[in-house]
């Protein structure tokens, strides 16, 4: 289990860094969020 | 023995589900941080200070050109965060508005009007040009009718004089910059 937690934490940190540092990823996620919000609101 | 195995399996499943649920939350947190570090706001999240764009100087402009502008970027000096907001023009002056201020959730969600009332120094960016402004809250007066009419025409946003007087809608005039506007980078 301990190994699972370490791997999980590493993946989450990686996700955070990729979204923060890779150009276009944050914008893409935000676009999807906006689409979802618009669909939910309508 | 079987009970221990069942508990262990359950723990693994729950841990897995929590991990999967955390991935989009962490991604969203990173998007928020990314937006906060950027020049200007994104559509959904507040952004950092408005840095790019020429800072307009000289005489007070005629704000009638914003009649065709949908949203502008507004950054307060304290705190230096930016967001997209609506803008209307009435008799050569510009106004911004914040709705939902009558509810607890609205006030929790919309902090910038409360911050602007405390310190109205601001930078707005319209079509790439920055303007130093001072936000002055309007609770009544002759201009309210004209401004609310323009809000209705431009955005379909319905607000009455009562809404503005009782604080469920906050209206600000984008007045000229105060003499001590500091913290504005040219």
């Amino acid at each position: 289990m301990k190994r699972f937690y370490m791997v999980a934490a590493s993946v989450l940190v990686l996700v955070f860094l990729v979204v923060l540092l890779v150009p276009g990823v944050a914008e893409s996620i935000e676009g999807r969020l906006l689409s979802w919000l618009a669909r939910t609101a309508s | 023995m079987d009970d221990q195995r069942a508990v262990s399996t359950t723990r693994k499943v729950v841990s897995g589900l929590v991990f999967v649920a955390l991935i989009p939350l962490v991604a969203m947190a990173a998007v928020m941080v990314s937006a906060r570090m950027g020049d200007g706001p994104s559509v959904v999240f507040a952004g950092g200070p408005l840095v790019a764009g020429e800072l307009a100087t000289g005489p007070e402009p005629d704000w009638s050109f914003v009649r065709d502008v949908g949203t502008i970027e507004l950054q307060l000096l304290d705190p230096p965060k930016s967001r997209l907001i609506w803008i209307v023009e009435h008799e050569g002056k510009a106004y911004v508005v914040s709705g939902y201020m009558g509810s607890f959730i609205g006030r929790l969600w919309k902090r910038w009007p409360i911050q602007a009332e405390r310190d109205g120094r601001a930078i707005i960016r319209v079509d790439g040009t920055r303007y130093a402004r001072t936000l002055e809250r309007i609770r009544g007066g002759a201009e309210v009718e004209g401004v609310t009419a323009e809000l209705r025409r431009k955005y379909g946003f319905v607000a009455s004089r009562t809404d503005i007087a009782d604080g469920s809608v906050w209206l600000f005039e984008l007045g000229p910059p105060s003499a001590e506007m500091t913290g504005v980078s040219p």
Side-chain angles (χ1 to χ4, degrees):
Chain A
M1 254 340 242
K2 190 176 175 183
R3 190 174 168 189
F4 170 77
Y5 291 141
M6 285 179 61
V7 170
S10 301
V11 168
L12 293 175
V13 169
L14 190 65
V15 165
F16 188 87
L17 292 175
V18 164
V19 173
L20 195 61
L21 300 175
V22 175
V25 175
E27 288 81 2
S28 171
I29 293 173
E30 198 172 349
R32 287 171 191 258
L33 173 65
L34 199 57
S35 301
W36 178 80
L37 286 171
R39 270 201 310 274
T40 308
S42 62
Chain B
M1 195 70 173
D2 285 341
D3 288 342
Q4 279 181 338
R5 204 173 290 158
V7 167
S8 176
T9 303
T10 304
R11 190 181 296 168
K12 286 179 184 173
V13 169
V14 169
S15 296
L17 290 173
V18 168
F19 168 65
V20 168
L22 277 176
I23 290 176
L25 292 177
V26 165
M28 207 52 58
V31 172
M32 283 178 62
V33 170
S34 174
R36 200 63 61 85
M37 287 165 46
D39 175 1
S42 63
V43 177
V44 180
F45 298 110
L50 303 179
V51 177
E54 180 191 344
L55 185 66
T57 55
E60 187 68 4
D62 178 354
W63 292 96
S64 56
F65 72 93
V66 302
R67 285 178 73 86
D68 298 324
V69 172
T71 56
I72 65 166
E73 298 164 287
L74 167 73
Q75 176 220 319
L76 299 175
L77 261 57
D78 179 28
K81 293 195 303 187
S82 56
R83 75 280 301 158
L84 291 173
I85 56 170
W86 290 344
I87 184 170
V88 293
E89 174 272 343
H90 175 67
E91 295 182 347
K93 295 182 181 178
Y95 300 84
V96 295
V97 67
S98 178
Y100 307 107
M101 297 302 289
S103 66
F104 172 71
I105 290 182
R107 286 198 176 217
L108 203 64
W109 167 35
K110 299 247 187 128
R111 300 231 192 118
W112 73 261
I114 297 167
Q115 293 160 347
E117 191 178 40
R118 187 181 65 228
D119 182 352
R121 294 175 302 158
I123 305 289
I124 64 170
R125 188 158 60 194
V126 185
D127 292 336
T129 302
R130 293 180 299 153
Y131 302 83
R133 298 280 95 193
T134 301
L135 271 67
E136 297 164 21
R137 187 175 172 196
I138 303 213
R139 296 174 191 259
E143 67 271 26
V144 168
E145 297 291 343
V147 174
T148 53
E150 180 62 9
L151 281 167
R152 200 174 311 122
R153 178 200 73 82
K154 191 174 179 184
Y155 300 109
F157 181 79
V158 178
S160 66
R161 179 180 286 276
T162 308
D163 292 329
I164 291 170
D166 70 17
S168 54
V169 173
W170 287 33
L171 184 64
F172 292 88
E173 179 188 338
L174 291 173
S178 57
E180 67 218 24
M181 281 281 290
T182 55
V184 179
S185 56

